[in-house]
Amino acid sequence: MRVGLIVDSACDLPYWFSRRNGLFVLPVTARIDDQTFVDDHDPERTQEFYDSGLLEKGHHAETEPFSAQEIHKLFMEKIVNNYDVAICETVTRSRSLVYDNAMLAMNSVMSEYRRQQQESGSDGNFSMRVIDSKQIFAGQGLLAAHTQKLIDEDRHSKNQLRYEVDAFADTIHTCVIPRDLHYIRERARRRGDKSVSGLVAFLGKALNITPVLFGKGAEAKPAAKTRSFEAAVEKAINYAIGRVEAGLLTPYVSLSVGMSWPEIHALPGLDRLKETCEKNGVELLLSQMGITSCIYIGPGSLCLSLGAEDHEFADFQ
């Protein structure tokens, strides 16, 4: 059974991982000032954005998911003839229209794929599932890595695979460290999202407070407050190290950062996290935050996700 995994460009994963496993990235349109770009996770394009400063404050940046018609076209051209089963995991439905548009596209694909097969001289059944990952950024990347692991094991039916993916999504814990709360507040305001209040943004600016947001999936709440970004990063890294040593439900830790690679490698505690992961047979999926993710949360931010039994952030400090 040929199983293809599709993610959208809000999913943060190392480029080498996506290439090695043949993941198909569903693009998102990024509009920055008067320029329009397609974010398809091309690493050179991503680095150009970081180098150009287009993701910094002062530029009007928005993202827009591909329409159902555009997704339908991609599925028909790139997916139908190459796989027996396709799994499309989208950024959380509560924060984007990608899931809804992908569902519409899937329904139209399922009603038309046989005609395309006949025209191309191919045959066989094709099935597809669109899954709301309930995650953002590194969390979505972690779910994709775990899904690919299940696919590689090749011991699950398509229905079992869907069940396993849904169940694992509910075990993903995520830390987010925003570099600029005002940036998040302004982006949320444009989307009609009131999850970041003006008061929190004001305090972060006036008192130089950097929070560590923690929770399951996209529903994170302040778990710690620090006086610097570096101190917040150390808390998140210490948490991850403690949780890795206590045991994980999948052998991955996903970490994405909205910085240049030299800045990423200089993060406090990163070497300790790498050593702990290697010692415990865990693969650290370290990536530069994609354009879509960076527009959403702001340049300089950090997102860390892992799969584990229920716990609190403070349990590993």
Side-chain angles (χ1 to χ4, degrees), residues 29-37 49 53-64 183 186-188 190-191 291-299:
T29 300
R31 291 188 173 87
I32 303 177
D33 295 336
D34 58 350
Q35 302 180 65
T36 300
F37 305 90
F49 271 93
L54 283 175
L55 295 178
E56 301 292 337
K57 289 187 298 183
H59 294 278
H60 181 81
E62 298 286 349
T63 58
E64 181 180 326
Y183 181 98
E186 180 61 19
R187 285 282 299 139
R190 293 174 187 170
R191 297 191 308 271
I291 295 168
T292 300
S293 307
C294 201
I295 288 176
Y296 189 99
I297 197 173

Side-chain angles (χ1 to χ4, degrees), residues 249-307:
L249 298 178
T250 197
Y252 303 107
V253 170
S254 180
L255 174 61
S256 66
V257 191
M259 298 178 180
S260 67
W261 278 109
E263 291 173 313
I264 292 173
H265 291 309
L267 287 172
L270 181 60
D271 288 341
R272 290 191 296 115
L273 177 58
K274 290 179 178 178
E275 292 172 3
T276 302
C277 286
E278 184 175 356
K279 180 180 178 181
N280 289 272
V282 172
E283 188 166 13
L284 178 61
L285 301 174
L286 178 62
S287 65
Q288 191 175 47
M289 193 171 281
I291 295 168
T292 300
S293 307
C294 201
I295 288 176
Y296 189 99
I297 197 173
S301 300
L302 178 147
C303 186
L304 182 149
S305 295
L306 49 80

Side-chain angles (χ1 to χ4, degrees), residues 87-106:
I87 298 173
C88 178
E89 296 177 350
T90 73
V91 65
T92 178
R93 186 181 185 183
S94 64
R95 303 292 175 90
S96 173
L97 292 175
V98 175
Y99 173 86
D100 293 336
N101 291 352
M103 281 292 293
L104 290 171
M106 180 196 72

